[in-house]
Amino acid sequence: MADSGLWIGVVTAVTAVGASSVTARATLRAARVQVETTARAEALREQRDRRRVAYRGMLDRVHAFNVITWQIDDVDAASDRGSRDRLLAQMHERIGPAIGDMNKAMHEVRLDGPAGVSDAADRVRDAARRVQRMLGPLVGDDGPERRSAYDDAYREFRDAYLTLIALAREALEVETA
């Protein structure tokens, strides 16, 4: 009887040690998973924040470019050719530095990606360059052809800009599961 009690005690002790070991391993595994999950969530948050800053910078530069192009309404409202040409020349003078700023912002977007947003930012910048090329010849020209080419270039720019906004918004969306 004593032997049987001893064996029961030994088996109970071994079971307790085994259970403790299994519990410790499970706790360690759970802690590791939690640390990895927390680290992944933090990395995603940092990536989203970097992208948001880059995208805002690009959109701010595009808006500054737009402010210049919207002056075409003032050109259209000008009463004489001299006033129109002066306004067009001012627009043309200001549009180059605006594109330069947009170019810098586009490189920030290129660094933070993703590739689709980077490509869209590149298309916006290229379209802005086409607008610039169409703006210069308007000075001193009263014909509808060059103005039509400018308007077409601006519409292409605007479409590229709207695509960039949609892709940037999509890249920043957070899915919860």
Side-chain angles (χ1 to χ4, degrees):
M1 198 75 142
D3 280 340
S4 150
L6 180 62
W7 281 111
I8 291 174
V10 169
V11 169
T12 302
V14 169
T15 302
V17 169
S20 175
S21 174
V22 169
T23 301
R25 279 191 295 222
T27 301
L28 180 62
R29 192 174 313 122
R32 187 179 313 128
V33 168
Q34 183 176 3
V35 166
E36 290 170 358
T37 301
T38 301
R40 191 174 318 117
E42 182 62 28
L44 287 172
R45 186 174 18 264
E46 287 175 12
Q47 178 187 54
R48 188 177 55 249
D49 290 346
R50 278 191 323 272
R51 285 179 176 176
R52 180 169 299 167
V53 168
Y55 299 169
R56 278 189 180 145
M58 180 67 181
L59 297 179
D60 285 347
R61 295 328 180 282
V62 172
H63 179 75
F65 176 85
N66 265 328
V67 167
I68 297 166
T69 61
W70 293 333
Q71 291 177 323
I72 199 74
D73 292 336
D74 297 337
V75 170
D76 292 340
S79 58
D80 62 278
R81 180 80 245 163
S83 297
R84 289 177 61 144
D85 286 347
R86 189 174 55 258
L87 288 169
L88 285 167
Q90 288 172 353
M91 286 174 65
H92 194 263
E93 182 179 307
R94 292 178 54 217
I95 212 165
I99 292 172
D101 291 342
M102 190 185 309
N103 191 51
K104 290 176 193 171
M106 189 261 324
H107 289 299
E108 290 295 318
V109 172
R110 185 175 287 157
L111 286 174
D112 285 315
V117 177
S118 174
D119 292 345
D122 211 4
R123 284 190 295 277
V124 168
R125 190 261 330 258
D126 290 345
R129 287 178 174 164
R130 280 189 285 287
V131 170
Q132 179 188 27
R133 283 194 303 273
M134 298 298 120
L135 180 63
L138 291 177
V139 177
D141 183 59
D142 282 331
E145 296 84 18
R146 287 193 173 139
R147 176 55 191 268
S148 179
Y150 171 84
D151 290 341
D152 290 344
Y154 181 79
R155 277 190 290 278
E156 181 183 330
F157 165 78
R158 179 77 178 155
D159 290 345
Y161 177 46
L162 294 174
T163 299
L164 172 63
I165 291 170
L167 290 171
R169 182 179 295 134
E170 184 179 308
L172 293 174
E173 286 180 359
V174 177
E175 291 186 25
T176 56

